Amino acid sequence: MSFATTVYESSKKSIEGLEPSNVWNYFLTLSQIPRPSKKEEKVVQYLRNYAKENNFNIIVDKLGNCVVQVPATQGYENAPVVAIQGHIDMVCEKNKETIHDFENDPISLIRTDDGKWITADNTTLGADNGIGVCCGLAVATDPTVIHGPLELLFTVDEEQGMSGVKALTPDLLKAKYLLNLDTEEADCFYVACAGGVDTVGSFLIEEEDLLKENYTPISLMVSGLKGGHSGLEINTGKANAIKLIGRLLEKIMNCSELNNFKVFKIEGGDKPNAIPRECIVNAYLKTEKLTIIEQLVEEFDCLMKQEFHVGDANVKIVVKKENYDNNDEKVVKVFTTQFLEKIKQTILAIPSGIIQLSQVIDGLTETSTSLSIIQIKEDKQLTIVTSQRSSIDSAKDYISSSVASVFKLAGANNIMHKGSYPGWKLDLNSELFLTCKKVFYDLYQREPKAKAIHAGLETGLLGAVFPGLDMISFGPTIVGIHAPGEKVLIEDVVQSYELTKAVLLEIAKKRN
């Protein structure tokens, strides 16, 4: 039996008996299709086949965004057109020791021991936004659902810059209403979201020669962190692996007995929108100084375990001997002391966390910034990537300028802002919101919460492309998104599907 078949059979067993069965069956199929951001071709082909099998028309633009046009239930042809929208790419994260090729391997679905959640095997699950996509696929083919004309809008590359939704054109949709199924909290309707931008600084690496004799190659490693979405979870007290490496470098470089500590590589984080879980420094150190750095790192590890005993209790910081050298070279290139000092100070100076809480919605993070990635490029550039978010455009511009100022003061040779996207303005008098609020109360005899989200939803950009489009966002509870351990609450998938069907029925009743 092949690996893919084994994963499929195991995953199929994990969702056995779950309702709504049509949603879970679509999710099982989707999970077997690799779909990293910017590499969604296989999913696009699956959607083409889905449309053909169900006699639906499908439009695919040059980037791979898809609109599946679904005819109305008989008798409801004159109801308002409703778009159901989600993104088909997923964040691809795994633990360092996990072997998984996101471009070729299927996701293995696992039901938790308590039977309440579906998660994955040491990788991200892709419930963000796979469950929403599958809800759309299911309602369109469910004969029990009454609806007017539907447009299933599936976008690409939401997770790495939203290039898909940015490429949409106004003639693509006819919808009056849009249901975005890309939020992760049940009992809530999201009616506003933050805008965002990435600010990137690059530094030309300054090197010197090091005679390796009497030096031992070592690594410093921060691991065991939870990570997560750098907008939604920026207020949870989680540690940032790059920040911790910066703090550790500060202690090492302030220790006079370790003045021969020589670094040649720093890498941490790999997604602009994820809190970095791991960071590693590769270096050389005089052999007789190993005991000193081992003691210093052990003390720092204990200190961080105390500091993050709630937010990131499993933080692990270690130093170990390495074997970098596969040749007999006696001299190697390392960072100059001045360059390492510059990078260390930059890491420490860049803000990362909440900048401002909302003055309108209690408890909502209004403005934040996250230190996301540090990596070395092939052109001898050390690049630092940060991500800013705010529900107020001027505040977003301010904090991105603040981060750029840190890069400028540190002597970065290239600074740029990229991937900017607008927020979605709050409107509690929206016709669609009021309709959804009524439907929710009729179903569950309780009031839903109206919320704004400190993350970039595609609704912000959709509102710019389709002026006047009445939008709302909802979905089941998903925790740990953008990190291994991501899981979706089974019972909330039931509720989300019921709600989608009921909202479509209520709108279908508005026949001309």
Side-chain angles (χ1 to χ4, degrees):
M1 187 180 292
S2 70
F3 171 71
T5 302
T6 300
V7 170
Y8 177 81
E9 292 299 328
S10 173
S11 298
K12 183 178 179 181
K13 187 175 180 180
S14 294
I15 66 162
E16 195 173 273
L18 297 186
E19 295 293 340
S21 60
N22 53 350
V23 175
W24 288 111
N25 287 333
Y26 278 121
F27 188 62
L28 171 64
T29 301
L30 187 64
S31 298
Q32 308 310 295
I33 305 172
R35 49 194 174 98
S37 299
K38 304 184 188 300
K39 297 181 179 181
E40 303 93 342
E41 299 86 358
K42 294 176 182 178
V43 185
V44 172
Q45 184 57 51
Y46 168 72
L47 292 173
R48 288 183 186 273
N49 294 339
Y50 164 88
K52 183 177 181 180
E53 290 168 6
N54 291 285
N55 295 315
F56 298 152
N57 186 46
I58 184 171
I59 301 170
V60 181
D61 71 12
K62 60 182 180 181
L63 284 188
N65 297 305
C66 301
V67 177
V68 180
Q69 298 171 330
V70 181
T73 303
Q74 187 174 359
Y76 293 86
E77 293 83 0
N78 293 326
V81 180
V82 178
I84 297 177
Q85 190 265 327
H87 62 87
I88 57 176
D89 62 320
M90 65 174 281
V91 169
C92 298
E93 286 278 318
K94 63 183 181 66
N95 291 322
K96 195 172 184 66
E97 66 277 8
T98 300
I99 299 174
H100 188 93
D101 180 358
F102 282 101
E103 294 187 22
N104 295 290
D105 294 344
I107 300 296
S108 180
L109 306 184
I110 297 173
R111 197 183 309 194
T112 56
D113 291 342
D114 60 10
K116 295 181 179 180
W117 304 80
I118 291 294
T119 186
D121 186 11
N122 291 307
T123 69
T124 39
L125 173 63
D128 170 25
N129 182 218
I131 284 291
V133 168
C134 292
C135 184
L137 296 175
V139 295
T141 53
D142 186 341
T144 69
V145 180
I146 295 174
H147 58 79
L150 299 180
E151 296 174 322
L152 308 183
L153 172 60
F154 300 126
T155 51
V156 299
D157 194 32
E158 189 269 355
E159 299 289 5
Q160 289 191 18
M162 298 195 183
S163 65
V165 69
K166 289 177 181 177
L168 297 177
T169 54
D171 59 340
L172 204 58
L173 293 182
K174 298 178 181 178
K176 179 178 181 181
Y177 305 107
L178 182 140
L179 310 181
N180 170 277
L181 304 182
D182 187 24
T183 50
E184 294 85 27
E185 186 178 4
D187 290 357
C188 297
F189 290 117
Y190 280 84
V191 291
C193 73
V197 66
D198 293 340
T199 303
V200 182
S202 297
F203 299 81
L204 184 62
I205 296 174
E206 301 163 19
E207 295 179 316
E208 62 185 7
D209 291 336
L210 175 69
L211 185 63
K212 292 191 303 182
E213 185 178 1
N214 299 322
Y215 275 84
T216 296
I218 64 171
S219 66
L220 304 171
M221 180 74 180
V222 174
S223 63
L225 303 184
K226 295 177 182 176
H229 192 283
S230 59
L232 296 175
E233 300 182 78
I234 198 71
N235 61 344
T236 57
K238 293 180 178 179
N240 180 307
I242 302 173
K243 278 290 190 179
L244 295 192
I245 279 291
R247 293 171 64 176
L248 179 57
L249 289 174
E250 174 85 345
K251 287 188 172 293
I252 292 171
M253 296 174 73
N254 284 342
C255 178
S256 59
E257 296 180 275
L258 296 175
N259 57 4
N260 49 22
F261 174 71
K262 301 294 183 180
V263 171
F264 66 91
K265 190 176 183 181
I266 305 176
E267 285 192 336
D270 62 359
K271 298 289 186 302
N273 56 0
I275 301 169
R277 297 177 291 109
E278 298 175 347
C279 190
I280 188 168
V281 171
N282 301 124
Y284 291 93
L285 184 69
K286 282 283 189 180
T287 303
E288 68 267 19
K289 302 294 186 180
L290 287 174
T291 303
I292 297 173
I293 199 169
E294 286 170 353
Q295 182 178 346
L296 185 150
V297 171
E298 182 178 350
E299 291 174 354
F300 186 69
D301 177 60
C302 291
L303 191 64
M304 293 302 97
K305 280 181 166 61
Q306 294 172 17
E307 184 172 324
F308 293 99
H309 71 280
V310 175
D312 252 314
N314 293 322
V315 57
K316 183 179 180 181
I317 305 169
V318 297
V319 58
K320 63 178 182 178
K321 297 179 185 178
E322 297 287 359
N323 183 18
Y324 302 131
D325 308 314
N326 298 317
N327 53 55
D328 296 325
E329 291 181 0
K330 295 182 178 180
V331 177
V332 292
K333 294 290 186 182
V334 295
F335 295 170
T336 65
T337 301
Q338 293 79 6
F339 181 74
L340 180 59
E341 176 69 19
K342 178 194 298 185
I343 297 304
K344 181 256 298 181
Q345 294 287 7
T346 302
I347 292 172
L348 293 177
I350 290 174
S352 190
I354 297 173
I355 302 299
Q356 179 69 48
L357 291 174
S358 173
Q359 300 176 59
V360 178
I361 300 177
D362 188 39
L364 174 69
T365 301
E366 181 180 273
T367 306
S368 75
T369 182
S370 177
L371 174 53
S372 304
I373 301 171
I374 185 168
Q375 60 187 1
I376 293 176
K377 301 285 190 178
E378 292 180 358
D379 57 355
K380 291 291 185 180
Q381 296 275 338
L382 186 147
T383 299
I384 298 175
V385 181
T386 69
S387 180
Q388 292 75 51
R389 290 181 172 87
S390 183
S391 52
I392 299 176
D393 286 342
S394 59
K396 180 186 75 174
D397 295 342
Y398 158 68
I399 190 58
S400 62
S401 294
S402 296
V403 172
S405 295
V406 173
F407 286 141
K408 188 172 184 178
L409 288 169
N413 62 290
N414 186 40
I415 303 167
M416 63 178 177
H417 302 288
K418 65 177 188 177
S420 181
Y421 55 90
W424 173 25
K425 189 176 180 180
L426 179 69
D427 180 10
L428 293 179
N429 293 315
S430 149
E431 181 185 352
L432 182 57
F433 169 66
L434 296 176
T435 297
C436 291
K437 185 177 178 181
K438 173 187 179 297
V439 168
F440 186 95
Y441 186 84
D442 290 345
L443 282 174
Y444 307 114
Q445 299 302 300
R446 62 181 186 271
E447 293 287 344
K449 299 173 185 175
K451 286 193 170 185
I453 189 171
H454 190 64
L457 292 177
E458 291 171 295
T459 44
L461 287 155
L462 287 166
V465 177
F466 305 103
L469 182 61
D470 201 349
M471 301 178 290
I472 201 162
S473 183
F474 58 91
T477 298
I478 305 173
V479 299
I481 65 170
H482 295 189
E486 175 191 359
K487 57 185 181 180
V488 57
L489 189 59
I490 293 168
E491 67 178 11
D492 283 356
V493 176
V494 176
Q495 176 180 301
S496 183
Y497 191 62
E498 287 177 346
L499 185 58
T500 303
K501 293 194 299 181
V503 169
L504 290 176
L505 173 60
E506 190 68 21
I507 294 174
K509 292 176 182 177
K510 302 178 181 181
R511 289 173 286 188
N512 295 332

